[in-house]
């Protein structure tokens, strides 16, 4: 089965720090996504990528950027972390490559706390 | 853009009873409606999905119904078991893998 691995389960950072969240998938998927999960707000899309070096903004991109230099790896970057970015971050991937409405495979999430 | 509303936010049932979670969507162009289950400490996993050309789909104890006219879809779990306890998310999309999720329902099944 597809495995989506997020580098850290828990992360504690200070306000103003630059933060990198890493995600790797092992099934040659074209599409990768970053969501943030907050109680009462569900999952909200931050950024997604349909191909290497390609990125598109989701619904809440402010304060975030992404990098996809290799097909299997999708990084989320918080340029200057703020307390309102304390959240659970979920990475996901799907097959893509012209097919649509495909199953998303999620990682286990990174709980980020910004102090 | 698309907006998905989900109700209730919490649901408690006795083991063996049925559970129903309802979602409404705003964009009539949406064509794909998956349901994800998130267990404690894990990422969400797809449990069932339905496409706009189908009104109902079943998989053992779970079923999903879609009413395109009313723009709502529902998840039905019959004969609930303690292992059904989790957070459930509905979602919608328009011919892409970019999903818009509902706010989630925490289901608790009591023995």
């Amino acid at each position: 089965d597809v495995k989506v691995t997020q580098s850290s389960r828990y992360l504690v950072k200070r306000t103003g720090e630059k933060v990198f969240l890493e995600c790797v998938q092992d099934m040659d998927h074209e599409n990768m996504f970053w969501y943030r999960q907050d109680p009462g707000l569900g999952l909200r899309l931050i950024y997604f990528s349909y191909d290497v070096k390609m990125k598109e903004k989701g619904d809440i991109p402010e304060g975030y950027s992404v990098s996809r230099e290799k097909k299997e790896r999708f990084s989320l970057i918080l340029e200057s972390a703020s307390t309102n970015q304390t959240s659970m971050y979920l990475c996901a991937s799907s097959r893509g490559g012209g097919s649509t409405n495909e199953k998303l495979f999620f990682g286990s999430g990174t709980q980020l706390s910004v102090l | 853009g698309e907006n998905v509303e989900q109700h209730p936010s919490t649901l408690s049932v006795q083991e063996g009873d049925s559970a129903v979670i309802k979602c409404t969507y705003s964009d009539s162009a949406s064509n794909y409606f998956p349901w994800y289950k998130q267990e404690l400490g894990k990422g969400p996993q797809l449990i069932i999905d339905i496409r706009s050309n189908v009104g109902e789909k079943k998989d053992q104890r779970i079923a999903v119904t879609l009413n395109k006219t009313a723009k709502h879809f529902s998840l039905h779990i019959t004969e609930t078991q303690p292992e059904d306890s989790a957070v459930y998310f509905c979602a919608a999309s328009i011919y892409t893998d970019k999903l818009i999720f509902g706010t989630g329902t925490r289901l608790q099944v009591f023995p």
Side-chain angles (χ1 to χ4, degrees), chain B:
Chain B
E2 175 66 282
N3 182 53
V4 177
E5 294 189 0
Q6 182 172 348
H7 299 281
S9 56
T10 60
L11 181 59
S12 296
V13 299
Q14 202 78 29
E15 182 177 359
D17 287 350
S18 295
V20 180
I21 303 171
K22 298 182 179 181
C23 290
T24 60
Y25 60 98
S26 60
D27 195 329
S28 57
S30 291
N31 73 314
Y32 177 62
F33 308 92
W35 287 86
Y36 283 78
K37 175 184 180 182
Q38 184 178 29
E39 297 175 339
L40 197 62
K42 298 182 179 180
Q45 280 194 301
L46 179 71
I47 55 170
I48 195 168
D49 57 12
I50 192 168
R51 299 175 195 276
S52 58
N53 59 346
V54 176
E56 184 176 1
K57 184 177 179 180
K58 288 184 180 180
D59 183 3
Q60 300 183 335
R61 294 187 297 108
I62 61 174
V64 57
T65 58
L66 171 65
N67 183 326
K68 286 192 295 182
T69 302
K71 290 191 282 188
H72 67 70
F73 55 113
S74 301
L75 178 71
H76 304 253
I77 307 174
T78 58
E79 301 173 21
T80 53
Q81 300 167 3
E83 52 264 38
D84 293 329
S85 297
V87 179
Y88 292 81
F89 292 97
C90 63
S93 72
I94 309 172
Y95 293 101
T96 72
D97 292 353
K98 178 187 168 185
L99 296 177
I100 303 301
F101 284 88
T103 50
T105 296
R106 180 173 299 279
L107 173 65
Q108 290 183 299
V109 180
F110 292 98

